């Protein structure tokens, strides 16, 4: 009897410990020292159960370095509430809003570690969760309360918050033309990847920062083989910038993209007058919305050399549309901005055509017929005729632009301007002069504003200490003051600076595919990433911290 009572008392003590720990509930079965687990997974001898319980109690927590005691008050309940505050991001992620507080119920595993949660919490942000292990509450800071994995902490700062808000806002604006929800999600995912990835913005690198290898194939299809049209996205970007900032002009500039291979669409040996030498690669023209503090590309046109346009095999492999034909570089630059201005619902603003033009009359005439004011960079040998009877060269026929300006340099006046390409916005001054000229092939019929049809203005600029013109421009804005014209041309420097400091870092030159449509889709989303960085107000370190 005494032995039987001792067995019962020892089994009762074991039963109480098992209930308190929440791990093992032992019940006496046949009085022979055998016990059965409450979960029904078989019998264990009493001695084996005692040793197993001792080993379990002595087992150290593997992530003890990441978990610290927070509250000594015992919580024996295996089910508890875990409260997590998710960063400082409200529902839309705009700075200044109240933080989200989410409450979730966690289940407890046999070791007391938090199990899978019933709900996911927010987008990113540091997590502070309260869990319990063996009845002792623990505080898990900077970890995923569900899986016990350390989550990357987003860097603090208003700049990253502003970029996060702008990314979501632009995604809502740009992708409204996408009919399918998965395309809108992929568009935002690719946009975030361009902002987060460091180094070359290949599709593989972008996918590694937003979804890993599983996302690479879907993003590759989204860029290279999907059906979405990039033109509505570009128009939406231009309309958004028109409302968000105050652009002064459209700037058109060339963008050489160096390539070593020969499979990428449009790759050939190209001479760029702006660079002054030939290079092997692609030659594109970008249309930038610009003012003195801000510039963003909104439209692109890829110039295809004759070797690509006339090669049926290359056209088929690169999926070049039939409508794309042969054109010169200056025709490509003009068509890029004129197509946007004539087909988009955007205001007509002056165009700064920052590419060397040899056929002055034909190029400026296209803008004049479309009703678009333009100022075009001219070369020293560009032929024009002097229209002012009081100036040297009148009646002499077509003369070179530099020759005409050299004869009237003494009539120039000093113009002060702010250098938009300088980070410190340096105040500068130049000597500028304007001469009324005309294209050699134009007639002399009067126009609406009293000027004659084809009557243009030749603008020359001499920086301090220079004896030859540092810049020459020709414009159809004959009634605009010289100082206003000169300051407008400086916006080309702003676009050049932003391309180097922002555009190249968000992947404008990084597309590695071979298809014509893939190039356009990638550079469209890279332009949106450029807009995020520019609107956030910083031209340096244009990478978003990984906060998800």
């Amino acid at each position: 009897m005494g032995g039987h009572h001792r067995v019962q008392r020892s089994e009762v003590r074991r039963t109480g410990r098992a209930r308190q720990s929440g791990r093992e509930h032992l019940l006496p079965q046949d009085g022979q020292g055998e016990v059965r687990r409450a979960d029904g997974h078989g019998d264990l001898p009493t001695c084996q159960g005692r040793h197993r319980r001792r080993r379990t109690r002595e087992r150290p927590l593997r992530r003890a370095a990441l978990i610290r005691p927070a509250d000594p008050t015992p919580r024996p309940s295996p089910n508890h509430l875990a409260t997590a505050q998710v960063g400082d991001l409200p529902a839309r992620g705009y700075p200044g809003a109240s933080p989200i507080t989410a409450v979730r119920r966690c289940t407890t595993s046999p070791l007391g570690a938090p199990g899978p949660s019933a709900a996911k919490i927010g987008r990113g942000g540091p997590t502070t969760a309260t869990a319990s292990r063996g009845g002792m509450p623990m505080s898990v800071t900077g970890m995923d309360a569900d899986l016990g994995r350390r989550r990357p902490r987003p860097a603090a700062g208003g700049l990253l918050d502003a970029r996060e808000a702008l990314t979501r806002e632009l995604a809502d604006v740009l992708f409204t033309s996408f009919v399918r929800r998965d395309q809108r999600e992929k568009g935002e995912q690719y946009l975030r990847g361009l902002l987060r990835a460091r180094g070359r913005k290949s599709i593989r690198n972008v996918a590694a920062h937003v979804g890993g290898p599983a996302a690479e194939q879907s993003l590759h299809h989204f860029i290279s083989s999907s059906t979405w049209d990039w033109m509505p996205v570009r128009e939406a970007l231009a309309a958004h910038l028109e409302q968000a900032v105050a652009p002064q002009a459209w700037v058109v500039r060339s963008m050489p993209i160096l390539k070593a291979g020969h499979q990428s669409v449009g790759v050939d040996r190209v001479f760029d007058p702006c660079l002054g030498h030939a290079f092997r690669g692609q030659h594109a023209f970008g249309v930038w919305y610009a003012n003195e503090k801000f510039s963003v590309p909104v439209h692109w046109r890829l110039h295809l050399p004759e070797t690509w346009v006339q090669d049926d095999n290359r056209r088929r492999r690169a999926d070049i549309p039939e409508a794309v034909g042969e054109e010169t570089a200056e025709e490509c630059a003009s068509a890029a901005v004129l197509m946007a201005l004539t087909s988009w619902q955007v205001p007509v603003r002056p165009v700064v055509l920052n590419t060397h033009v040899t056929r002055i009359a034909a190029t400026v005439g296209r803008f004049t017929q479309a009703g678009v004011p333009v100022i075009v960079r001219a070369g020293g040998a560009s032929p024009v005729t002097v229209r002012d009877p009081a100036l040297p060269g009148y009646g002499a026929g077509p003369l070179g632009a530099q020759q005409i300006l050299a004869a009237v340099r003494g009539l120039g006046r000093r113009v002060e301007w702010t250098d938009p390409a300088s980070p410190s916005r340096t105040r500068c001054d130049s000597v500028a002069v304007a001469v009324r000229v005309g294209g050699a092939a134009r007639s002399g019929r009067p126009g609406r504003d009293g000027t004659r049809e084809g009557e243009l203005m030749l603008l020359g600029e001499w920086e301090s200490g220079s004896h030859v013109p540092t810049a020459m421009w020709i414009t159809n804005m004959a009634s605009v003051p010289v100082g206003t014209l000169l300051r407008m041309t400086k916006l080309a420097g702003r676009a050049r600076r932003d391309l180097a400091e922002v555009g190249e870092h968000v992947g404008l030159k990084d597309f590695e595919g071979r298809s014509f449509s893939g190039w356009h889709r990638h550079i469209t989303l890279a332009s949106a990433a450029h807009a995020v960085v520019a609107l956030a107000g910083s031209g340096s370190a244009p990478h978003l911290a990984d906060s998800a």
Side-chain angles (χ1 to χ4, degrees), residues 320-471:
I320 299 174
E322 295 182 1
V324 177
E326 187 175 352
E327 59 186 359
T328 64
E330 57 189 70
E331 289 173 346
C332 181
S334 302
V337 64
L338 285 175
M339 183 174 61
L341 290 177
T342 56
S343 61
W344 294 355
Q345 298 298 321
V346 292
V348 175
R349 297 186 181 276
V351 174
V352 180
L353 195 61
N354 187 31
T355 181
H356 287 283
V357 175
T358 56
R359 300 177 61 193
I360 296 294
T363 300
V364 178
R366 295 177 64 185
F367 286 88
T368 303
Q369 291 176 1
V372 177
V374 65
I375 183 166
V376 181
R377 181 180 289 276
S382 299
V384 290
T385 59
V386 178
R387 289 289 181 87
D388 191 338
L391 297 181
Y394 176 75
L399 300 173
Q402 185 170 343
Q403 180 182 356
I404 295 174
L405 291 174
V408 298
R409 186 183 186 281
L411 302 177
R413 65 184 184 88
R414 190 168 299 277
V415 177
E416 293 185 353
W417 48 277
T418 302
D419 186 6
S422 172
S424 58
R425 294 179 54 79
T426 307
R427 299 286 297 178
C428 306
D429 62 85
S430 301
V431 174
V433 65
V435 179
R436 199 167 72 243
V437 297
R442 286 292 183 179
S443 65
R445 295 179 297 176
R448 294 180 181 179
D449 57 354
T451 61
R452 295 182 177 276
E453 182 182 359
E455 189 169 281
L456 309 173
M457 191 72 72
L458 173 62
L459 175 68
E461 177 192 4
W462 291 263
E463 294 181 354
S464 54
S466 176
H467 297 286
V468 294
T470 55

Side-chain angles (χ1 to χ4, degrees), residues 166-176 184 187-188 191:
L166 287 166
T167 301
R168 297 186 181 188
E169 181 181 351
L170 271 181
D172 290 341
V173 171
L174 301 182
F175 306 135
T176 55
R184 295 192 294 270
E188 183 173 355
L191 177 59

Side-chain angles (χ1 to χ4, degrees), residues 163-208:
R163 291 184 185 178
E164 171 65 19
L166 287 166
T167 301
R168 297 186 181 188
E169 181 181 351
L170 271 181
D172 290 341
V173 171
L174 301 182
F175 306 135
T176 55
S177 61
F178 292 177
V179 179
R180 290 162 41 189
R181 179 181 177 182
D182 65 312
Q183 288 182 334
R184 295 192 294 270
E185 292 175 350
K186 287 292 187 298
E188 183 173 355
Q189 187 181 26
Y190 199 82
L191 177 59
R192 291 181 183 277
L194 291 171
L195 291 165
R196 294 176 180 175
R198 297 186 179 273
R200 192 168 186 84
K201 304 303 185 296
S202 63
I203 296 179
R204 175 174 297 180
N205 192 17
V206 168

